[in-house]
């Protein structure tokens, strides 16, 4: 099964199949991942931001630009918004469908949590898989705000946070979370009248001394404006001296995640469920009694 | 230190101190949590939904109603939007400041990740702590969308999802994630012209057979409209026969989280960091080599 997969030569069908097998934790998937051993230092670009910011349109334009520059691009679209669904919600991803059949582009949606591990584990594994294929750049788009940024920040060398010009207290609060993970800010839909004020505010928020100067790029993704400037900012970030520290941090976080998922394999959730039912049936609800029963396994 | 904390008698200052000690994983905090052993079956109500939906105003009105009914209320405000900050972003939480000094109300913000574990572990532990105090109801508000719902859905007996009447593809996609965790839907700001159509759409989305009929409550939180109807819906959900299954599921998830954090204590992140640096310095970037070195610890 595994030996037929010719992903290191760039066979897209093999790659798609390999991802499915890893996603579903087909027996031997970890040995397979280990065996690849060809993980090259391919730039991983993360694109995140709140809903409706135009991330997918921007990714679409980025693919176009990279393909025009002769690059081979792998795109991973991660949708953590539906925790209990198996399978990705496509939503506005169809916009990128122009590229599905292009020979230089590989696109994959991901929302599956593995049986053993969570979505971040799968993101790490599939990114490692992609790094073993002949691509020049990996783009990872995540929908959503909240903890999903930790996941993308834990994966991408360069994290792009896409926002649109708007106000609101909670958006402000969220931005300070986004600010901590952003290597580049994109203000999309920047033809809106309030855009300039917004960009100014953004610069002001970031000039409190704690943060290094983060570039702010204005784009109008659906008119393909600003894409080139964004590309230049990415290239510059990829060259920055701080990147090697970030890569070490990233890899540490990934190792941590993978160890965690490995350690939990010996814990049988079904048995916990039984113990919990017994605990509840006995009229008690002492969570630590059940934890203590299983923690040594 | 710990023995001075008189939380089971309802001393608010002791409770605040106990939470701080647990939050910061002061030595002995787990034994302390075990020793409480007085976890009562107190209803835990989760309030979540996208930014700007008016969750805090709604929580404010809920506190008012519960206090008028003579209940003692504990409120936990969780802000996962800033993964790297220590300490909660207050933001619009100040709206609830009326209640900070009320004898029947205990309010606490939480955004700290423990040294050992993550935010969900801390949420579980602090909820267990609150359940050991003489309160009648626990409200947990989480800002944000994305994975934070898993956390609130993994904590609350009754999960209220607050949305506002608006459209957009991505919001739609997200709603289907929210739908899976909602026990009650609140359409806030329902005096907006498009509210009725929105409520109708919501009912239609939910009538695909997969979901049980989820109540939809229209509110205008800043005019205190709909709060009583929401209260009734909560009480009804708390009486529903399906709740005991959900409680067993919840407790299983909590046990899983706590075991995970326990197992990872033996893994030294600093040592991983060193190994990663060596790996990167050697020109390789084989993540599995580092994983294999540490996973057996």
């Amino acid at each position: 099964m595994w030996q037929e997969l010719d992903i290191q030569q760039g066979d897209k069908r093999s790659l798609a199949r390999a991802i499915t097998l890893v996603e579903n934790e087909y027996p031997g998937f970890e040995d397979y991942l280990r065996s690849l051993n060809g993980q090259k230092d391919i730039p991983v670009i993360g694109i995140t931001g709140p809903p409706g910011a135009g991330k997918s349109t921007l990714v679409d334009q980025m693919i176009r630009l990279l393909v025009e520059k002769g690059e081979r691009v792998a795109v991973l679209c991660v949708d953590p918004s539906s925790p209990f669904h198996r399978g990705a919600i496509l939503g506005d991803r169809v916009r990128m469908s122009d590229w599905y059949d292009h020979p230089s582009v590989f696109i994959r949606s991901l929302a599956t949590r593995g049986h053993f591990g969570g979505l971040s584990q799968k993101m790490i594994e599939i990114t490692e898989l992609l790094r073993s294929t002949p691509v020049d750049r990996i783009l990872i788009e995540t929908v959503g705000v909240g903890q999903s940024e930790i996941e993308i920040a834990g994966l991408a060398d360069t994290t792009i946070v896409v926002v649109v010009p708007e106000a609101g207290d909670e958006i402000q609060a969220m931005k300070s979370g986004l600010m901590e993970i952003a290597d580049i800010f994109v203000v999309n839909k920047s033809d809106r009248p309030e855009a300039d004020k917004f960009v100014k505010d953004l610069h002001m928020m970031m000039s409190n001394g704690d943060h290094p100067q983060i570039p702010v790029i204005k784009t109008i993704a659906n008119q393909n404006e600003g894409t080139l400037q964004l590309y230049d900012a990415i290239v510059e970030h990829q060259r920055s001296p701080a990147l090697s520290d970030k890569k070490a941090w990233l890899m540490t976080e990934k190792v941590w995640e993978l160890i965690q998922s490995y350690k939990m394999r010996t814990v049988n959730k079904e048995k916990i469920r039984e113990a919990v039912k017994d605990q509840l049936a006995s009229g008690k609800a002492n969570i630590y009694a059940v934890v203590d029963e299983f923690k040594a396994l």
Side-chain angles (χ1 to χ4, degrees), chain A:
Chain A
M1 164 76 72
W2 294 103
Q3 57 270 29
E4 293 162 22
L5 299 173
D6 190 20
I7 76 161
Q8 280 161 323
Q9 301 308 312
D11 176 22
K12 278 166 74 170
R13 283 177 61 179
S14 284
L15 178 56
R17 182 139 180 75
I19 291 178
T20 301
L21 291 171
V22 169
E23 218 180 344
N24 295 303
E25 298 177 345
Y26 191 87
F29 82 96
E30 286 199 311
D31 289 336
Y32 174 73
L33 289 171
R34 269 185 189 77
S35 76
L36 291 172
N37 202 14
Q39 296 146 14
K40 286 170 301 254
D41 193 14
I42 299 168
V44 180
I45 319 294
I47 298 106
T48 194
K55 292 180 294 297
S56 297
T57 314
L58 198 70
V59 169
D60 183 62
Q61 300 295 355
M62 283 302 302
I63 296 172
R64 187 181 313 276
L65 183 73
L66 295 170
V67 166
E68 281 169 11
K69 286 181 180 290
E71 288 197 14
R72 291 156 303 177
V73 190
V75 184
L76 189 61
C77 303
V78 184
D79 193 336
S81 61
S82 180
F84 306 103
H85 257 312
R86 288 199 158 248
I89 293 169
L90 287 168
D92 58 347
R93 300 295 161 64
V94 288
R95 273 182 239 159
M96 286 195 290
S97 61
D98 287 1
W99 300 107
Y100 273 103
D101 292 328
H102 194 284
S104 306
V105 180
F106 177 84
I107 299 179
R108 178 70 176 229
S109 287
L110 178 68
T112 310
R113 275 150 212 290
H115 180 66
F116 299 121
L119 190 59
S120 13
Q121 182 201 342
K122 288 294 142 213
M123 285 172 74
I124 293 167
E125 288 167 347
I126 290 166
T127 308
E128 293 300 306
L129 199 65
L130 293 172
R131 288 173 66 200
S132 305
T133 68
V135 294
D136 300 300
R137 212 174 291 262
I138 298 168
L139 305 181
I140 303 179
E141 180 200 349
T142 52
V143 166
V145 281
Q147 288 222 325
S148 51
E149 286 96 359
I150 312 176
E151 296 187 336
I152 203 165
L155 268 177
D157 310 321
T158 303
T159 298
I160 301 169
V161 172
V162 187
V163 289
V164 285
E166 60 191 327
D169 283 353
E170 230 163 342
I171 298 282
Q172 294 289 333
M174 225 154 240
K175 268 206 292 278
S176 75
L178 293 171
M179 237 161 69
E180 293 179 64
I181 62 152
D183 298 305
I184 298 168
F185 258 112
V186 165
V187 177
N188 193 27
K189 307 185 185 180
S190 63
D191 49 346
R192 290 190 183 172
E194 63 273 45
D196 285 332
K197 186 185 175 309
F198 182 80
V199 170
K200 210 173 134 191
D201 289 351
L202 211 52
H203 276 297
M204 235 173 64
M205 280 175 72
M206 289 185 296
S207 61
N208 63 1
D210 287 352
H211 297 274
Q213 201 52 48
I214 303 168
V216 178
I217 314 290
K218 290 188 349 181
T219 61
I220 312 171
N222 61 9
Q223 296 170 35
N224 199 16
E225 276 190 33
T227 321
L228 201 59
Q229 288 83 337
L230 177 57
Y231 174 82
D232 290 341
I234 292 169
V235 170
E236 191 168 330
H237 180 259
Q238 290 282 335
R239 280 187 198 135
S240 67
L243 196 65
S244 69
D245 280 350
K246 185 169 181 186
K247 282 189 176 174
W249 174 79
L250 282 173
M251 193 162 153
T252 305
E253 294 299 317
K254 289 180 196 174
V255 168
W256 179 268
E257 276 282 328
L258 293 179
I259 291 172
Q260 183 165 278
S261 68
Y262 183 87
K263 280 184 176 285
M264 290 306 278
R265 299 241 169 133
T266 52
V267 184
N268 186 323
K269 209 169 203 173
E270 265 322 303
K271 286 188 182 163
I272 295 179
R273 212 183 308 276
E274 294 303 315
V276 161
K277 277 183 188 162
D278 291 347
Q279 181 75 211
L280 288 172
S282 73
K284 289 175 284 184
N286 191 331
I287 193 166
Y288 297 102
V290 187
V291 170
D292 289 346
E293 187 181 333
F294 286 89
K295 73 179 180 189
L297 294 178

